Amino acid sequence: MNHKSLLAFRAFMEGGSVNDAAERLHRTQPQVSRLLASLEDEVGFSLFVRKGRRLNPTREARKLYSQVERALSSLDEVENEARRIKNHQRSHVRILTAPHVTNVLVAEAIATLTEETPQFTATIDSRTRIDIDIWLGREQFDIGISVLPLDDSSIDIEPMTSVNAVAVMHKDNPLATHAEISLEDLIDEPLVINSPRTVMRQRIDALFRKKGASPNIRLETPNGVIACELAARGLGVSIADGFVARSSMRPDMVIRPFSPKLTLDYVLFFPRWRTRTQSVNRLAELITLSAQRVSDES
């Protein structure tokens, strides 16, 4: 497929209009329109429907976009890597992590390394824990942060720190008066809980099964930050990763220790066949120090 047509298609899907796509690509609207029409001819099915003066993507276009975006992102990274090699930019680090870890652990480490090494640059790919498993085999990162388990022969794993799960709720919830929240306290309590495929949910379900009970699920989401935010609004109690909870603090949010203790082990991981640069090693050291400090404070 024509590379320019694919770029025009991505720009249109991201911007929502031919005009916006033209601005993004520094081209004229007629040029972009011709590229989109060429792509439509090439694929052999309709990508757009016209409503008035606007083009709207078809269902087929939306399906195609996910693959086009993935392919072009890979090409973008090839171009970026080539540019870094040409400029001898050995201080660039590609980081793969979850959003809440970025806030709690990575930001401070990056700030410190930037002060130490002014030429340091980084790209931060923020993915949910489920998506990280998918991305491991692509090796489009230099350092990653995640919670165990991780089972992939393409990576080296190094322990970082452990964090305990906590209970999160609105300050007006009657359980907020407790110094500690037990599993028994939550037997009939409406819960805002992680989706079944997440590590946290699997651990929670195991605790309930051991107790011979089932969680009273009111709201469910794969994103722990969203679960905490909903709990902070008084919509239920969430059992959350301690790092997730502390990265989601809201004025009326209450965090309490959870019993029985549910410990999550955080690790750093690296592509096994890629040599680690000095910047990667230093960043790993700084992230580990941040993680240990946050864990000690919790």
Side-chain angles (χ1 to χ4, degrees):
M1 290 185 179
N2 184 285
H3 185 232
K4 292 181 180 179
S5 294
L6 293 177
L7 289 173
F9 178 62
R10 178 173 69 174
F12 173 84
M13 295 297 289
E14 291 177 349
S17 70
V18 173
N19 180 59
D20 191 272
E23 290 181 359
R24 289 170 181 241
L25 298 175
H26 306 290
R27 289 177 173 270
T28 65
Q29 292 186 44
Q31 286 175 327
V32 170
S33 295
R34 284 195 294 271
L35 288 170
L36 294 177
S38 175
L39 179 63
E40 203 167 35
D41 289 340
E42 192 169 4
V43 297
F45 53 82
S46 296
L47 294 173
F48 315 100
V49 292
R50 183 173 292 278
K51 292 188 177 180
R53 299 181 63 183
R54 288 185 59 86
L55 285 181
N56 290 320
T58 62
R59 181 181 302 176
E60 291 76 13
R62 297 184 188 282
K63 290 181 180 179
L64 181 64
Y65 169 68
S66 63
Q67 298 298 323
V68 169
E69 193 279 332
R70 186 177 298 117
L72 290 179
S73 293
S74 297
L75 287 175
D76 289 343
E77 184 54 37
V78 170
E79 293 175 357
N80 291 336
E81 183 67 15
R83 190 180 305 113
R84 289 191 288 268
I85 293 171
K86 180 180 178 181
N87 297 332
H88 306 289
Q89 193 176 3
R90 300 294 293 159
S91 296
H92 186 83
V93 178
R94 299 171 299 174
I95 306 165
L96 179 60
T97 184
H100 66 274
V101 176
T102 304
N103 297 334
V104 178
L105 306 180
V106 179
E108 182 178 345
I110 288 176
T112 301
L113 189 51
T114 300
E115 287 185 12
E116 295 177 353
T117 310
Q119 67 269 30
F120 168 76
T121 60
T123 53
I124 304 161
D125 207 331
S126 186
R127 301 279 166 175
T128 65
R129 173 62 180 77
I130 295 172
D131 287 338
I132 283 176
D133 283 340
I134 299 172
W135 275 67
L136 287 180
R138 300 178 185 177
E139 295 191 7
Q140 294 178 342
F141 64 95
D142 299 300
I143 181 173
I145 305 110
S146 185
V147 65
L148 292 178
L150 281 176
D151 184 18
D152 194 294
S153 60
S154 67
I155 58 173
D156 289 323
I157 297 174
E158 295 182 2
M160 185 170 63
T161 192
S162 297
V163 63
N164 293 327
V166 295
V168 177
M169 67 207 77
H170 189 273
K171 65 180 182 180
D172 292 337
N173 190 299
L175 292 177
T177 61
H178 295 206
E180 181 179 89
I181 306 300
S182 69
L183 185 67
E184 288 78 8
D185 293 327
L186 301 179
I187 295 298
D188 297 316
E189 189 75 17
L191 299 180
V192 184
I193 200 165
N194 294 79
S195 300
R197 289 180 57 204
T198 62
V199 173
M200 178 59 71
R201 174 63 178 278
Q202 292 165 7
R203 301 285 296 277
I204 293 170
D205 284 349
L207 290 177
F208 273 93
R209 283 196 302 270
K210 188 174 181 180
K211 199 71 180 176
S214 298
N216 177 17
I217 301 172
R218 172 178 285 172
L219 300 170
E220 185 177 270
T221 172
N223 190 310
V225 173
I226 293 175
C228 289
E229 291 176 347
L230 293 173
R233 287 178 173 268
L235 300 176
V237 176
S238 180
I239 306 171
D241 175 325
F243 285 156
V244 174
R246 288 171 182 83
S247 71
S248 313
M249 286 302 299
R250 295 291 181 270
D252 294 328
M253 178 188 288
V254 170
I255 297 176
R256 293 289 181 264
F258 176 71
S259 175
K261 188 172 290 187
L262 197 164
T263 302
L264 300 165
D265 297 314
Y266 272 85
V267 296
L268 297 169
F269 57 91
F270 310 85
R272 176 161 291 172
W273 311 116
R274 181 173 293 122
T275 302
R276 301 183 204 175
T277 65
Q278 182 177 349
S279 293
V280 170
N281 288 329
R282 178 56 176 156
L283 184 62
E285 179 184 358
L286 291 170
I287 291 172
T288 299
L289 289 173
S290 293
Q292 291 171 349
R293 189 195 74 254
V294 173
S295 184
D296 291 341
E297 291 174 354
S298 54

